[in-house]
Amino acid sequence: MSYRDQKKYLEALKRFESKFDRKELEEYKMFVKRQKDDEDFDSISMTRLKEMHDKYIKPVDASKYDRFFKKKEN
C-alpha cells in the first residue's frame, strides 16, 4: 500500500475517533504516530486499518435518492 492510501484512510477515520472502543483508539493513535514518522505500514497493520475503515465508513446507497431525480410522467 502506498503512503497516500494510508493518509486517506486515517483522515476518513478521524471523524469517528470518539466512537472507537479502547483497543481501536489505541491502534488508531499508533497508526497516526507511525504516519507522522513517515513509516509505511506492514501488511498486517494495513489490513487492520482497512477493517476499521470498512467498519465505520459505509458507502451511501444512492438508489434511495432516485425518486427525487426522475421526470414526472403526465
Side-chain angles (χ1 to χ4, degrees):
M1 268 299 139
S2 68
Y3 182 82
R4 186 182 319 172
D5 293 334
Q6 292 173 198
K7 187 174 181 179
K8 179 181 75 170
Y9 287 136
L10 289 173
E11 286 178 359
L13 285 171
K14 188 173 189 172
R15 296 181 302 157
F16 299 97
E17 196 171 351
S18 62
K19 295 182 181 181
F20 293 158
D21 61 15
R22 186 178 197 144
K23 181 183 175 202
E24 289 173 338
L25 184 60
E26 289 174 4
E27 286 179 340
Y28 176 75
K29 287 182 178 182
M30 180 200 59
F31 291 147
V32 170
K33 190 180 289 186
R34 287 177 62 188
Q35 179 76 14
K36 285 181 183 178
D37 292 340
D38 293 329
E39 289 184 33
D40 286 335
F41 292 0
D42 57 354
S43 61
I44 298 170
S45 297
M46 199 60 195
T47 303
R48 182 65 185 133
L49 183 60
K50 284 182 185 178
E51 288 172 358
M52 287 175 63
H53 183 268
D54 293 342
K55 179 179 177 182
Y56 288 99
I57 299 178
K58 308 272 192 259
V60 176
D61 182 19
S63 65
K64 64 182 177 182
Y65 299 112
D66 286 345
R67 63 188 172 108
F68 295 115
F69 297 103
K70 288 185 180 177
K71 290 186 177 183
K72 294 181 182 178
E73 296 179 17
N74 291 333

